[in-house]
Amino acid sequence: MKITKEFDEIGIVLFKFSKNFKRLSISLRPFNGVVVICPKRFSIKKAVDFVHQNKNWILETKEKIKEHEKRAIIFDEQTDFKTATFRLQVQKYVGTSVRIELNNGVLNVFYPENVLVSSQTVQEAIRFGIEKAMRLEAKETFPVRVSQLAAKYGFSYKKVFIKNLKSQWGSCSHINNINLNLHLVRLPEHLIDYMILHELCHTKEKNHGPNFWKLLDSCTDNKAKIFAKEINKYRSYF
Protein backbone atom coordinates (compact mmCIF):
# COMPACT_ATOMS: atom_id res chain seq x y z
CA MET A 1 0.00 0.00 0.00
CA LYS A 2 1.20 3.50 -0.84
CA ILE A 3 -0.16 6.79 0.46
CA THR A 4 0.98 10.21 -0.74
CA LYS A 5 0.58 13.37 1.30
CA GLU A 6 1.49 17.03 0.79
CA PHE A 7 3.46 18.69 3.60
CA ASP A 8 4.21 22.38 4.03
CA GLU A 9 7.82 23.09 2.90
CA ILE A 10 8.69 19.40 2.54
CA GLY A 11 6.36 18.81 -0.41
CA ILE A 12 5.02 15.41 -1.50
CA VAL A 13 5.88 12.45 0.74
CA LEU A 14 5.24 8.85 -0.28
CA PHE A 15 4.40 6.31 2.45
CA LYS A 16 5.16 2.65 1.70
CA PHE A 17 3.74 -0.11 3.92
CA SER A 18 4.97 -3.72 3.85
CA LYS A 19 5.29 -6.73 6.12
CA ASN A 20 8.97 -6.80 5.12
CA PHE A 21 9.61 -3.48 6.90
CA LYS A 22 10.35 -3.80 10.61
CA ARG A 23 10.76 -0.14 11.55
CA LEU A 24 10.04 3.40 10.40
CA SER A 25 12.66 5.03 8.21
CA ILE A 26 12.94 7.93 5.77
CA SER A 27 14.58 7.59 2.38
CA LEU A 28 15.68 10.51 0.20
CA ARG A 29 17.36 9.86 -3.12
CA PRO A 30 18.03 12.07 -6.14
CA PHE A 31 15.02 12.34 -8.45
CA ASN A 32 12.87 10.13 -6.18
CA GLY A 33 11.67 12.58 -3.50
CA VAL A 34 10.83 11.68 0.10
CA VAL A 35 9.74 8.13 0.91
CA VAL A 36 8.71 6.92 4.38
CA ILE A 37 9.12 3.18 4.93
CA CYS A 38 6.50 1.78 7.34
CA PRO A 39 5.77 -1.65 8.82
CA LYS A 40 2.47 -3.17 7.70
CA ARG A 41 -0.60 -1.90 9.62
CA PHE A 42 1.45 0.93 11.14
CA SER A 43 -0.63 3.99 12.06
CA ILE A 44 -0.55 6.56 9.28
CA LYS A 45 -0.99 9.28 11.92
CA LYS A 46 2.18 8.13 13.69
CA ALA A 47 3.97 7.98 10.35
CA VAL A 48 2.93 11.58 9.60
CA ASP A 49 4.09 12.63 13.08
CA PHE A 50 7.41 10.94 12.32
CA VAL A 51 7.81 13.13 9.24
CA HIS A 52 7.07 16.29 11.24
CA GLN A 53 9.59 15.27 13.92
CA ASN A 54 12.29 14.87 11.27
CA LYS A 55 11.32 17.94 9.24
CA ASN A 56 14.60 19.82 9.74
CA TRP A 57 16.72 16.82 8.74
CA ILE A 58 14.54 16.22 5.67
CA LEU A 59 14.84 19.85 4.53
CA GLU A 60 18.62 19.87 5.04
CA THR A 61 19.00 16.58 3.16
CA LYS A 62 16.77 17.80 0.31
CA GLU A 63 19.05 20.82 -0.16
CA LYS A 64 22.09 18.55 -0.40
CA ILE A 65 20.27 16.34 -2.90
CA LYS A 66 19.38 19.37 -5.03
CA GLU A 67 23.08 20.14 -5.34
CA HIS A 68 23.68 16.54 -6.35
CA GLU A 69 20.91 16.72 -8.97
CA LYS A 70 22.54 19.77 -10.53
CA ARG A 71 25.65 17.67 -11.18
CA ALA A 72 23.74 14.58 -12.23
CA ILE A 73 23.90 13.19 -15.75
CA ILE A 74 21.02 14.04 -18.06
CA PHE A 75 20.45 10.95 -20.19
CA ASP A 76 19.35 11.59 -23.78
CA GLU A 77 19.78 10.32 -27.35
CA GLN A 78 23.47 11.28 -27.39
CA THR A 79 24.41 9.66 -24.07
CA ASP A 80 27.08 6.97 -24.42
CA PHE A 81 26.30 4.63 -21.53
CA LYS A 82 27.30 0.98 -21.63
CA THR A 83 28.51 -1.88 -19.48
CA ALA A 84 29.89 -5.32 -20.34
CA THR A 85 26.39 -6.66 -21.09
CA PHE A 86 24.24 -3.79 -22.35
CA ARG A 87 24.22 -0.29 -23.83
CA LEU A 88 21.63 2.45 -23.42
CA GLN A 89 19.55 3.74 -26.33
CA VAL A 90 17.09 6.58 -25.74
CA GLN A 91 14.57 7.57 -28.40
CA LYS A 92 11.22 9.27 -28.94
CA TYR A 93 8.12 7.37 -30.01
CA VAL A 94 4.44 7.93 -30.61
CA GLY A 95 2.99 7.00 -27.24
CA THR A 96 1.74 8.38 -23.95
CA SER A 97 4.13 6.85 -21.43
CA VAL A 98 7.77 5.87 -21.07
CA ARG A 99 8.52 2.33 -22.22
CA ILE A 100 11.63 0.34 -21.23
CA GLU A 101 12.87 -2.82 -22.94
CA LEU A 102 16.08 -4.82 -22.48
CA ASN A 103 16.71 -6.97 -25.55
CA ASN A 104 19.87 -8.44 -27.07
CA GLY A 105 22.21 -6.25 -25.05
CA VAL A 106 20.34 -3.00 -25.69
CA LEU A 107 18.39 -1.14 -23.00
CA ASN A 108 15.82 0.76 -25.07
CA VAL A 109 14.02 3.65 -23.41
CA PHE A 110 11.17 5.10 -25.48
CA TYR A 111 9.64 8.37 -24.32
CA PRO A 112 6.61 10.32 -25.68
CA GLU A 113 7.51 12.73 -28.47
CA ASN A 114 5.57 15.55 -26.78
CA VAL A 115 7.66 15.29 -23.57
CA LEU A 116 11.16 16.70 -23.00
CA VAL A 117 13.82 14.04 -22.45
CA SER A 118 15.17 16.20 -19.62
CA SER A 119 11.86 16.07 -17.72
CA GLN A 120 11.92 14.46 -14.30
CA THR A 121 9.50 11.72 -15.38
CA VAL A 122 11.71 10.60 -18.27
CA GLN A 123 14.96 10.87 -16.31
CA GLU A 124 13.53 8.85 -13.42
CA ALA A 125 12.38 6.17 -15.86
CA ILE A 126 15.79 5.99 -17.55
CA ARG A 127 17.57 5.70 -14.20
CA PHE A 128 15.11 3.03 -13.10
CA GLY A 129 15.79 1.04 -16.27
CA ILE A 130 19.56 1.39 -16.00
CA GLU A 131 19.54 0.38 -12.34
CA LYS A 132 17.45 -2.73 -13.08
CA ALA A 133 19.74 -3.74 -15.97
CA MET A 134 22.88 -3.13 -13.89
CA ARG A 135 21.46 -5.14 -11.00
CA LEU A 136 20.74 -8.09 -13.30
CA GLU A 137 24.29 -7.96 -14.62
CA ALA A 138 25.79 -7.62 -11.15
CA LYS A 139 23.78 -10.54 -9.76
CA GLU A 140 24.85 -12.76 -12.63
CA THR A 141 28.55 -11.88 -12.57
CA PHE A 142 29.69 -10.62 -9.15
CA PRO A 143 28.98 -13.71 -6.99
CA VAL A 144 30.75 -15.90 -9.55
CA ARG A 145 33.77 -13.59 -9.67
CA VAL A 146 33.95 -13.32 -5.87
CA SER A 147 33.98 -17.13 -5.67
CA GLN A 148 36.73 -17.36 -8.31
CA LEU A 149 38.99 -14.77 -6.68
CA ALA A 150 38.39 -16.13 -3.17
CA ALA A 151 39.41 -19.60 -4.33
CA LYS A 152 42.47 -18.27 -6.17
CA TYR A 153 43.84 -16.27 -3.22
CA GLY A 154 42.63 -18.38 -0.31
CA PHE A 155 39.84 -16.26 1.16
CA SER A 156 36.58 -17.40 2.74
CA TYR A 157 33.38 -15.36 3.10
CA LYS A 158 29.72 -15.82 3.96
CA LYS A 159 27.43 -14.28 1.33
CA VAL A 160 27.55 -11.72 -1.48
CA PHE A 161 25.01 -8.90 -1.57
CA ILE A 162 24.44 -6.45 -4.42
CA LYS A 163 23.44 -2.98 -3.26
CA ASN A 164 22.88 0.48 -4.71
CA LEU A 165 25.39 2.29 -2.50
CA LYS A 166 25.85 6.05 -2.75
CA SER A 167 29.16 6.73 -1.08
CA GLN A 168 31.27 3.59 -1.42
CA TRP A 169 32.04 0.82 -3.87
CA GLY A 170 31.74 -2.00 -1.37
CA SER A 171 32.07 -3.18 2.20
CA CYS A 172 32.71 -6.28 4.29
CA SER A 173 30.62 -6.98 7.37
CA HIS A 174 31.97 -8.23 10.68
CA ILE A 175 30.71 -11.73 9.77
CA ASN A 176 32.42 -11.52 6.35
CA ASN A 177 29.44 -10.84 4.13
CA ILE A 178 30.63 -9.04 0.99
CA ASN A 179 28.54 -6.04 -0.14
CA LEU A 180 29.20 -4.73 -3.65
CA ASN A 181 27.86 -1.61 -5.30
CA LEU A 182 25.91 -2.47 -8.47
CA HIS A 183 27.53 0.60 -10.11
CA LEU A 184 30.77 -1.38 -10.27
CA VAL A 185 29.49 -2.83 -13.56
CA ARG A 186 30.30 0.57 -15.12
CA LEU A 187 34.00 0.20 -14.30
CA PRO A 188 36.79 -1.56 -16.21
CA GLU A 189 37.18 -5.24 -15.39
CA HIS A 190 40.48 -4.81 -13.54
CA LEU A 191 38.89 -2.28 -11.16
CA ILE A 192 35.94 -4.59 -10.48
CA ASP A 193 38.44 -7.30 -9.53
CA TYR A 194 40.37 -4.82 -7.43
CA MET A 195 37.25 -3.85 -5.47
CA ILE A 196 36.27 -7.48 -4.91
CA LEU A 197 39.78 -8.29 -3.69
CA HIS A 198 39.70 -5.18 -1.51
CA GLU A 199 36.65 -6.51 0.33
CA LEU A 200 37.96 -10.07 0.44
CA CYS A 201 41.10 -8.77 2.14
CA HIS A 202 38.85 -7.25 4.78
CA THR A 203 37.76 -10.77 5.73
CA LYS A 204 41.27 -11.10 7.21
CA GLU A 205 42.21 -7.49 7.93
CA LYS A 206 39.30 -5.36 9.18
CA ASN A 207 41.09 -2.02 8.88
CA HIS A 208 43.23 -0.19 6.33
CA GLY A 209 46.47 -0.63 8.18
CA PRO A 210 49.85 -1.71 6.73
CA ASN A 211 48.94 -5.42 6.92
CA PHE A 212 45.81 -4.82 4.86
CA TRP A 213 47.70 -3.07 2.05
CA LYS A 214 50.44 -5.69 2.13
CA LEU A 215 47.80 -8.40 1.70
CA LEU A 216 46.02 -6.50 -1.08
CA ASP A 217 49.33 -5.88 -2.85
CA SER A 218 50.02 -9.62 -2.81
CA CYS A 219 46.76 -10.14 -4.74
CA THR A 220 47.23 -7.30 -7.23
CA ASP A 221 50.88 -7.57 -8.32
CA ASN A 222 51.78 -4.70 -5.99
CA LYS A 223 49.30 -2.36 -7.69
CA ALA A 224 46.87 -1.85 -4.79
CA LYS A 225 47.58 1.86 -4.30
CA ILE A 226 47.61 2.45 -8.07
CA PHE A 227 44.17 0.84 -8.46
CA ALA A 228 42.89 2.69 -5.36
CA LYS A 229 43.88 6.00 -6.95
CA GLU A 230 42.37 5.01 -10.29
CA ILE A 231 39.01 3.98 -8.85
CA ASN A 232 38.72 7.35 -7.08
CA LYS A 233 38.36 8.96 -10.50
CA TYR A 234 34.93 7.33 -10.83
CA ARG A 235 31.71 8.20 -9.01
CA SER A 236 29.87 5.42 -7.22
CA TYR A 237 26.57 6.77 -8.56
CA PHE A 238 25.30 8.65 -11.60
Side-chain angles (χ1 to χ4, degrees), residues 222-237:
N222 294 314
K223 295 180 180 178
K225 290 293 180 69
I226 294 174
F227 291 154
K229 187 175 181 179
E230 184 179 354
I231 204 170
N232 282 335
K233 296 178 182 178
Y234 295 85
R235 295 194 307 185
S236 58
Y237 58 89

Side-chain angles (χ1 to χ4, degrees), residues 98-116:
V98 181
R99 200 171 86 233
I100 304 171
E101 299 174 357
L102 179 60
N103 291 311
N104 298 319
V106 180
L107 177 64
N108 288 294
V109 179
F110 303 94
Y111 68 96
E113 58 185 2
N114 63 338
V115 177
L116 292 174

Side-chain angles (χ1 to χ4, degrees), residues 201-202 205-216 225:
C201 285
H202 278 312
E205 296 290 338
K206 294 301 183 183
N207 54 48
H208 288 106
N211 288 336
F212 168 82
W213 289 106
K214 183 178 180 180
L215 179 60
L216 189 51
K225 290 293 180 69

Side-chain angles (χ1 to χ4, degrees), residues 103-207:
N103 291 311
N104 298 319
V106 180
L107 177 64
N108 288 294
V109 179
F110 303 94
Y111 68 96
E113 58 185 2
N114 63 338
V115 177
L116 292 174
V117 69
S118 59
S119 69
Q120 182 174 342
T121 299
V122 176
Q123 291 300 306
E124 284 182 356
I126 293 173
R127 281 175 165 75
F128 174 82
I130 291 175
E131 181 178 327
K132 290 294 183 182
M134 290 196 307
R135 190 177 294 278
L136 285 173
E137 180 177 335
K139 284 186 174 181
E140 289 178 0
T141 60
F142 288 178
V144 173
R145 193 57 179 152
V146 172
S147 177
Q148 291 172 339
L149 291 173
K152 181 177 180 179
Y153 294 103
F155 294 105
S156 61
Y157 60 95
K158 296 290 185 180
K159 296 179 180 179
V160 177
F161 295 95
I162 310 300
K163 298 184 177 182
N164 190 3
L165 305 172
K166 295 303 177 185
S167 60
Q168 55 186 345
W169 291 109
S171 64
C172 175
S173 74
H174 69 284
I175 59 171
N176 293 339
N177 285 329
I178 303 296
N179 304 301
L180 296 173
N181 191 334
L182 61 89
H183 283 264
L184 279 167
V185 300
R186 300 189 286 107
L187 272 56
E189 186 177 333
H190 70 280
L191 290 182
I192 297 174
D193 281 356
Y194 162 75
M195 201 64 239
I196 291 173
L197 287 168
H198 184 113
E199 301 311 332
L200 284 173
C201 285
H202 278 312
T203 63
K204 294 184 177 181
E205 296 290 338
K206 294 301 183 183
N207 54 48

